[in-house]
Amino acid sequence: GDSVTQMEGPVTLSEEACLTINCTYTATGYPSLFWYVQYPGEGLQLLLKATKADDKGSNKGFEATYRKETTSFHLEKGSVQVSDSAVYFCALRPFQGAQKLVFGQGTRLTINP
Amino acid sequence: GAGVSQSPSNKVTEKGKDVELRCDPISGHTALYWYRQSLGQGLEFLIYFQGNSAPDKSGLPSDRFSAERTGGSVSTLTIQRTQQEDSAVYLCASSLVYRGGYTFGSGTRLTVV
């Protein structure tokens, strides 16, 4: 079945460090891919998305590229800030018109000043 | 409303009691989803409503769980005879079309003691 696997957390970095959170997926169709972020005490927010191979989603300095050949959608940021501390979820919609998103287990990121 | 509203934000209940969790989606969003987020786990799909169609209940973990959506808007998730393993954050989300991501509420943190 369709599934998403994220790198295990927690991840702790210093401010201005470079970030990569790995995400790989399995899907039988042509999925759309998403990253969601959950700040402390809040609901999940859509961070970025990509709907087809080689698309790059970007927002708030974060980027992720849809790599069909490696079935990956790694989240990257060149210089993290304390305010980036949150839980990050990778997700897929298995195919256009699919009703449900499939989520990874989440990766907790803590940025120290 | 402006966002997805969930109530209560926190609920502590005794084992064996019934609880009702409420979700008020974004006005006009035809799709509504319930997910469960357990400590250290990813998001577990519970149930999905789309317009007047029969709901997709495939994620409900047991017959103690049920949900309804009245008038295509507000939804209530009911857990009967609560157990300690029901303790989790219950997240509601809504969406307008299949292609995009969801808008999540802040969740209800349920603790069964």
Side-chain angles (χ1 to χ4, degrees):
Chain A
D2 303 308
S3 66
V4 176
T5 302
Q6 295 180 229
M7 67 185 290
E8 289 192 18
V11 174
T12 303
L13 297 172
S14 297
E15 202 166 22
E16 299 184 1
C18 184
L19 169 71
T20 299
I21 299 178
N22 290 337
C23 171
T24 57
Y25 67 89
T26 57
T28 53
Y30 297 95
S32 297
L33 302 173
F34 304 82
W35 276 101
Y36 281 81
V37 57
Q38 184 178 33
Y39 298 106
E42 299 183 13
L44 278 73
Q45 303 174 22
L46 179 63
L47 180 60
L48 53 84
K49 67 179 181 181
T51 58
K52 61 182 186 295
D54 299 325
D55 271 0
K56 177 184 286 188
S58 61
N59 186 23
K60 299 181 179 180
F62 290 89
E63 293 183 340
T65 301
Y66 188 144
R67 302 285 189 197
K68 187 177 179 181
E69 63 276 15
T70 54
T71 61
S72 65
F73 192 55
H74 304 323
L75 183 67
E76 299 176 327
K77 187 173 185 180
S79 176
V80 293
Q81 305 300 312
V82 173
S83 57
D84 294 327
S85 297
V87 181
Y88 292 81
F89 291 89
C90 187
L92 67 82
R93 186 187 299 281
F95 53 87
Q96 185 174 316
Q99 298 165 349
K100 297 175 291 191
L101 295 186
V102 176
F103 287 85
Q105 72 272 33
T107 302
R108 181 174 298 278
L109 173 67
T110 301
I111 307 300
N112 295 320
Chain B
V4 177
S5 177
Q6 291 188 246
S7 62
S9 56
N10 281 284
K11 176 71 176 180
V12 179
T13 189
E14 292 181 353
K15 178 181 174 181
K17 299 285 190 181
D18 297 352
V19 295
E20 287 190 348
L21 312 180
R22 176 189 168 102
C23 173
D24 196 348
I26 291 176
S27 179
H29 278 195
T30 55
L32 186 147
Y33 311 80
W34 284 97
Y35 282 79
R36 179 166 69 175
Q37 182 180 17
S38 301
L39 186 63
Q41 304 294 315
L43 271 68
E44 175 189 6
F45 167 77
L46 297 177
I47 189 169
Y48 159 76
F49 296 90
Q50 169 60 33
N52 295 320
S53 302
D56 177 352
K57 304 178 182 180
S58 60
L60 295 178
S62 78
D63 59 6
R64 295 187 296 105
F65 287 73
S66 63
E68 63 177 18
R69 188 179 185 190
T70 55
S73 180
V74 173
S75 177
T76 302
L77 176 68
T78 301
I79 309 173
Q80 296 177 312
R81 305 181 302 282
T82 52
Q83 304 295 314
Q84 288 187 330
E85 60 263 29
D86 299 336
S87 296
V89 176
Y90 289 82
L91 293 167
C92 176
S94 68
S95 69
L96 182 58
V97 295
Y98 292 131
R99 293 184 182 181
Y102 301 165
T103 301
F104 279 89
S106 298
T108 294
R109 181 176 297 279
L110 175 67
T111 303
V112 182
V113 298

